[in-house]
Amino acid sequence: MAALRSILSSRSFSTSVRLLNAAQPTNAAKRLPKLTLYTGGPECSLCEIMKQDLNVVRLTHPFELDTFNIREPPQDVPSEKAQQIEELYKNDIPILHLDGHYIQKHRLNSNPLKKLLENYNPEDPDPIYAHNKFRPWTGISKAKPKKLKKAAKAMAQVEKAYEAHQSRGPSS
């Protein structure tokens, strides 16, 4: 017991405690991550599922959530910007952004989102999620090269068979 008292009263221990207390985070409000969910309104079932999944994630990883209905945009958004957003996202809702940067679409993948929220630093000038690029669905042009080759080969066979059929002339 005497040894413990001598440790507690020693200068090095009190200095260590003071330094530890100084290193503790202050109660200064740290800005929460701001997520924006682009939805199609209440008739979008995937959007409603993503909202529920986000509420579950929010229990352990706090964030601010704004929703943006692309079919009925808020009045404070300029009409040109609202039209651009609707045109870009109309086939891909729900879309999730973190601080204005695309991070996910269609279904929530909670593990990568939780990692982003855990490592979130509002002062980071070049966050990792800023490099995600949204690629809206545009048809076959975004297909994998193997699939494009197969599709081109199948189309060539169909065209060849059609030409052979045309060259035979009318059947009797």
Side-chain angles (χ1 to χ4, degrees):
M1 192 66 145
L4 182 60
R5 282 190 186 138
S6 67
I7 291 173
L8 290 175
S9 63
S10 74
R11 180 179 164 100
S12 64
F13 180 76
S14 63
T15 303
S16 299
V17 170
R18 191 169 24 102
L19 290 173
L20 282 173
N21 286 336
Q24 295 292 327
T26 60
N27 289 340
K30 183 179 175 189
R31 188 171 78 81
L32 290 176
K34 183 178 179 181
L35 295 176
T36 305
L37 179 63
Y38 292 91
T39 72
E43 62 272 359
C44 173
S45 60
L46 278 179
C47 302
E48 295 302 314
I49 292 169
M50 189 178 269
K51 283 181 195 175
Q52 292 172 357
D53 292 344
L54 284 169
N55 285 331
V56 171
V57 171
R58 186 185 263 168
L59 296 174
T60 57
H61 296 78
F63 56 85
E64 293 178 33
L65 178 65
D66 289 337
T67 55
F68 188 102
N69 183 345
I70 65 168
R71 296 186 180 120
E72 295 175 11
Q75 296 296 325
D76 61 337
V77 176
S79 62
E80 296 128 15
K81 181 173 175 129
Q83 286 176 335
Q84 288 174 341
I85 290 171
E86 182 181 10
E87 189 61 34
L88 183 62
Y89 294 160
K90 68 182 175 185
N91 296 321
D92 289 303
I93 54 174
I95 301 279
L96 188 63
H97 282 214
L98 174 58
D99 286 342
H101 299 283
Y102 163 80
I103 55 172
Q104 293 183 13
K105 68 178 178 178
H106 298 174
R107 298 206 183 262
L108 183 69
N109 192 341
S110 61
N111 289 333
L113 177 61
K114 287 177 183 178
K115 286 181 184 175
L116 281 176
L117 295 174
E118 287 168 3
N119 298 322
Y120 179 75
N121 179 3
E123 281 84 38
D124 188 357
D126 190 29
I128 187 123
Y129 55 85
H131 300 287
N132 286 346
K133 299 293 183 218
F134 175 72
R135 295 172 199 88
W137 186 84
T138 56
I140 197 166
S141 64
K142 298 292 181 184
K144 294 181 179 175
K146 231 180 206 181
K147 290 185 179 181
L148 283 175
K149 287 179 184 176
K150 276 186 174 179
K153 189 175 180 181
M155 189 60 142
Q157 288 175 346
V158 168
E159 287 174 356
K160 189 175 181 181
Y162 179 74
E163 288 173 4
H165 178 71
Q166 290 293 348
S167 64
R168 281 189 230 140
S171 54
S172 41

